[in-house]
């Protein structure tokens, strides 16, 4: 999905205020709670592969910027020129937001960042949660962040517990949405904690965190999640969220708007 220009991750990522693409990603393994994350990377073709290397090869959990790129090179990952990530559609979205910013200077900056970009209403971050036959859960998330971000802004996607979390005892979660709120609500970890400490089902936990906690804060977005029994859940408070599930028989379901 990072290689598809349609999603806000890898190729097709949104633009920063300065017209650059800065990529964030994270991955977590539920068996041993090992995790890897990278933030603000500009030249690594597949950010999620780099996050995975951080998890598997380094002693660290999170690397950022040029240091993360240096580590990618040392691991032989594919490096691209920053222009590889460019797409017209995303660049136009940045111009659109900047124009609106000029028109409505009195508007709250955060509101402008989110709502004046039509594409951003669907966010477009990519995420994956999986349960294997041995009961191991993995969660991963990759994103370009939010259009018009600046000052090295980092969202929830590379933050373990906010945008990504996995624990074999409970569930795996990957988030998309307005990152600042997902960080403040610790969305991914909180869903796992509700299952762990309160005995909630996956459905109850995702509903509580998205429709009560996050919504009350004013946050917009959603999660995909899978629990240790293989139950799958997509919960969001936006109009739609592109998602697909596949069971152990290979049955594929693809949905965009609210479920039936
Ligand atoms: N597109 C997204 O989902 C944005 C991401 N959650 C962020 O705030 O960086």
């Amino acid at each position: 999905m990072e290689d598809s220009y349609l999603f806000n991750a890898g190729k097709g990522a949104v633009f920063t205020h300065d017209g650059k693409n800065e990529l964030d990603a994270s991955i977590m393994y539920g068996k041993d709670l090992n995790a890897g994350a990278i933030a603000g990377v500009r030249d690594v073709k597949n950010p999620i592969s780099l996050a995975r290397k951080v998890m598997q090869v380094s002693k660290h959990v999170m690397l950022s910027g040029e240091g993360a790129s240096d580590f990618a090179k040392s691991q032989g990952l594919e490096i691209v020129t920053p222009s590889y990530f460019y797409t017209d559609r995303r660049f136009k979205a940045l111009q659109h937001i900047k124009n609106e910013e000029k028109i409505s200077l009195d508007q709250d900056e955060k509101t402008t960042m989110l709502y004046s970009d039509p594409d951003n209403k669907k966010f477009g971050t990519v995420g994956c949660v999986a349960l294997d036959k041995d009961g191991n859960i993995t969660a991963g998330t990759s994103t370009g962040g939010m259009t018009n971000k600046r000052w090295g802004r980092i969202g929830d996607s590379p933050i373990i517990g906010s945008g990504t979390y996995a624990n074999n005892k409970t569930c795996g979660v990957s988030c998309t949405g307005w990152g600042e709120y997902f960080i403040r609500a610790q969305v991914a970890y909180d869903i796992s904690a509700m299952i762990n400490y309160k005995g909630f089902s996956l459905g109850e936990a995702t509903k509580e965190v998205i429709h009560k906690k996050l919504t009350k804060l004013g946050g917009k977005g959603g999660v995909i999640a899978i629990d240790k029994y293989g139950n799958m859940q997509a919960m969001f408070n936006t109009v739609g969220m592109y998602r697909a599930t596949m069971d152990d028989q290979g049955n594929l379901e693809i949905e965009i708007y609210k479920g039936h």
Side-chain angles (χ1 to χ4, degrees), residues 18 24 26 46 54 67 70 104 121 145 151 197 205 210 240 242 252:
D18 301 327
D24 304 332
S26 66
N46 291 111
V54 173
D70 289 345
S104 53
K121 286 183 184 150
W151 302 306
Y197 301 135
I210 296 300
Y242 300 121
L252 173 67

Side-chain angles (χ1 to χ4, degrees), residues 8 14 24 113 120 122-126 141-147 149 153-158 163 175-183 220-222:
N8 175 18
V14 298
D24 304 332
M113 181 162 83
N120 246 341
K122 287 194 233 79
F123 298 102
T125 287
V126 303
T141 311
S142 180
T143 190
M146 288 174 79
T147 305
K149 65 183 183 180
R153 178 264 187 194
I154 309 282
D156 60 312
S157 306
C175 305
T176 181
W178 192 341
E180 278 69 8
Y181 291 91
F182 281 72
I183 295 172
K220 286 269 174 204

Side-chain angles (χ1 to χ4, degrees), residues 82-144:
S83 62
Y84 163 79
F85 299 108
Y86 179 92
T87 52
D88 262 346
R89 186 175 72 138
R90 300 296 192 192
F91 197 68
K92 279 187 190 136
L94 174 66
Q95 309 312 323
H96 181 78
I97 286 197
K98 283 188 161 181
N99 286 337
E100 289 221 349
E101 240 178 14
K102 274 187 214 132
I103 298 164
S104 53
L105 277 173
D106 53 338
Q107 227 185 331
D108 168 349
E109 185 186 320
K110 280 184 182 171
T111 313
T112 318
M113 181 162 83
L114 182 71
Y115 288 106
S116 51
D117 176 3
D119 273 344
N120 246 341
K121 286 183 184 150
K122 287 194 233 79
F123 298 102
T125 287
V126 303
C128 180
V129 290
L131 169 72
D132 75 10
K133 63 178 170 39
D134 299 317
N136 295 313
I137 298 175
T138 300
T141 311
S142 180
T143 190

